[in-house]
Amino acid sequence: MIKNYLKIAWRDLLKERQFTMLNLIGLSTGLACTLLIYLWVNDELHVGRYNEKDDRLYQIMANHKSEDGIKTIHHTAGPLATSLATEFPEVENAVTVLPASWFSDKGTATFKDMHLKAGGQFVGKDYFNVFTCPVIDGDPRSLFRDNQTIGISNALALKLFHTADNIIGKSIQWEHGEFGGMYNIGLVFEENPANATEHFDVLFNFDLYAAKRESMKSWSNSDPSTYVILKQGADNEQFNAKIKKFLATKDKSIDITLLAVKFSDKYLHGHFENGVRAGGRITYVRLLRRNAARRKLASEKSLERPCKTLPSCFPWISSNSS
């Protein structure tokens, strides 16, 4: 019986070939667009969310007053991380980071006849306590014992040495302006996942950068970024109230206020106006979400007309609905 119903339905659809084709094209196009929008939105929502302590990881932002209003930037003073860690009980760990993206170009890593472009990042001693950066080989503490020890990514190790095994203690040549020289490999780490906002191939001790740039010791400097892990139960709003005018306690001439923002929220909510969050990429995510919902609804409506003929082709539908 069902076979006969299917034959009747197929014949009915063939009678309205143009209408059937139009509906199928509309339905498939709508579903394809909805799927692509879903994949993009899902990818956007996961950017920056890879750290184990994500719920307590914050980036310190700085509000600078100007003639055009308040400008919010992520560059902060070099000594800030150390002071936050020692003077605020809410802070579990704090770290100074000069990201690879801060530099206008990449450096060159050399081993024998192999020369590769690579991004170098300078980090403070609590970096591995703040960010999730799995170490494949070596000791993370070795990176901070001197300024000539570095960490390289697994991907860079494979390109330079064709293996990531037994390379601890080997040396490579690094060329990148004033930071060029021979460096010893102290650890091999797993590169950041694809959804990370920062990608790098080499890790340096931030003390090396501070030694080359004396201005890093000044509270008026604004080059590196500062990140903190708040202790369990710490209130971010109360913490923000306490750090807001912290820089003025170090240098009365500084008219810059601070605020801590969730690290993983910064990608989507990274636009500020007069020191207050005012959207960002989240605006496009919400817009496309609504658009996908409308397309899905339109696709469902396109099936309403053929559905009206189904009872004549499939009698059990009308009997079940009654």
Side-chain angles (χ1 to χ4, degrees):
M1 181 179 292
I2 295 179
K3 185 177 181 181
N4 291 331
Y5 288 147
L6 292 174
K7 286 182 179 180
I8 296 172
W10 178 250
R11 291 170 184 170
D12 189 59
L13 291 173
L14 289 179
K15 289 181 182 179
E16 299 287 348
R17 292 183 180 181
Q18 292 183 346
F19 178 76
T20 301
M21 186 61 65
L22 182 63
N23 274 281
L24 289 175
I25 292 174
L27 176 62
S28 59
T29 301
L31 290 176
C33 291
T34 301
L35 177 61
L36 290 174
I37 291 173
Y38 168 78
L39 292 174
W40 183 84
V41 169
N42 185 65
D43 183 71
E44 289 287 286
L45 292 175
H46 285 83
V47 172
R49 301 180 185 277
Y50 64 95
N51 292 288
E52 293 178 1
K53 300 177 182 178
D54 175 71
D55 60 326
R56 297 185 289 131
L57 174 56
Y58 291 82
Q59 180 170 8
I60 306 300
M61 308 292 287
N63 285 327
H64 292 249
K65 293 182 180 179
S66 66
E67 295 180 356
D68 300 323
I70 298 175
K71 183 179 180 181
T72 304
I73 64 174
H74 60 266
H75 302 296
T76 52
L80 182 60
T82 302
S83 293
L84 290 178
T86 57
E87 299 182 38
F88 291 87
E90 298 93 336
V91 177
E92 181 174 292
N93 294 109
V95 65
T96 303
V97 176
L98 193 74
S101 59
W102 185 88
F103 297 93
S104 59
D105 60 350
K106 292 185 176 183
T108 302
T110 300
F111 180 73
K112 295 182 177 179
D113 296 329
M114 186 70 71
H115 308 276
L116 296 173
K117 286 290 185 181
Q121 180 162 285
F122 294 80
V123 299
K125 63 181 180 64
D126 278 325
Y127 181 79
F128 295 95
N129 294 323
V130 174
F131 290 95
T132 298
C133 183
V135 174
I136 299 173
D137 193 13
D139 185 357
R141 293 172 297 181
S142 66
L143 184 66
F144 309 107
R145 288 173 185 159
D146 57 58
N147 292 342
Q148 296 307 122
T149 300
I150 62 172
I152 67 173
S153 69
N154 182 56
L156 182 59
L158 293 175
K159 292 177 182 177
L160 282 176
F161 304 100
H162 306 293
T163 180
D165 299 326
N166 301 318
I167 65 171
I168 302 302
K170 292 186 177 182
S171 300
I172 65 171
Q173 178 73 28
W174 177 256
E175 296 296 337
H176 199 196
E178 62 196 289
F179 305 105
M182 292 295 295
Y183 292 89
N184 302 317
I185 299 174
L187 68 141
V188 179
F189 61 86
E190 186 177 325
E191 53 271 17
N192 272 351
N195 64 327
T197 53
E198 285 289 341
H199 295 274
F200 48 87
D201 307 291
V202 186
L203 284 177
F204 295 88
N205 186 350
F206 183 76
D207 288 347
L208 170 64
Y209 186 85
K212 299 286 185 179
R213 305 282 180 90
E214 287 294 322
S215 60
M216 286 297 99
K217 300 176 182 178
S218 171
W219 283 98
S220 60
N221 178 270
S222 295
D223 274 345
S225 298
T226 302
Y227 303 90
V228 299
I229 295 290
L230 295 185
K231 292 180 179 179
Q232 293 283 1
D235 187 278
N236 182 47
E237 292 186 4
Q238 294 180 7
F239 179 65
N240 269 327
K242 293 175 68 173
I243 68 170
K244 183 176 182 179
K245 298 181 179 180
F246 180 65
L247 293 182
T249 65
K250 301 298 180 181
D251 187 337
K252 294 182 179 180
S253 65
I254 299 177
D255 190 16
I256 300 173
T257 57
L258 302 175
L259 72 155
V261 299
K262 191 89 176 296
F263 172 76
S264 57
D265 288 346
K266 188 170 170 287
Y267 177 77
L268 289 177
H269 303 268
H271 180 65
F272 291 80
E273 291 181 1
N274 286 323
V276 180
R277 273 183 172 173
R281 295 177 69 91
I282 189 63
T283 303
Y284 303 106
V285 171
R286 290 168 177 165
L287 178 64
L288 287 175
R289 267 180 165 176
R290 290 195 293 267
N291 187 42
R294 286 197 295 267
R295 285 183 178 276
K296 182 175 180 293
L297 181 61
S299 297
E300 291 173 348
K301 286 185 176 181
S302 70
L303 295 176
E304 287 183 356
R305 181 178 172 184
C307 286
K308 292 177 182 179
T309 66
L310 285 178
S312 63
C313 301
F314 303 101
W316 67 82
I317 294 181
S318 56
S319 61
N320 289 339
S321 60
S322 59

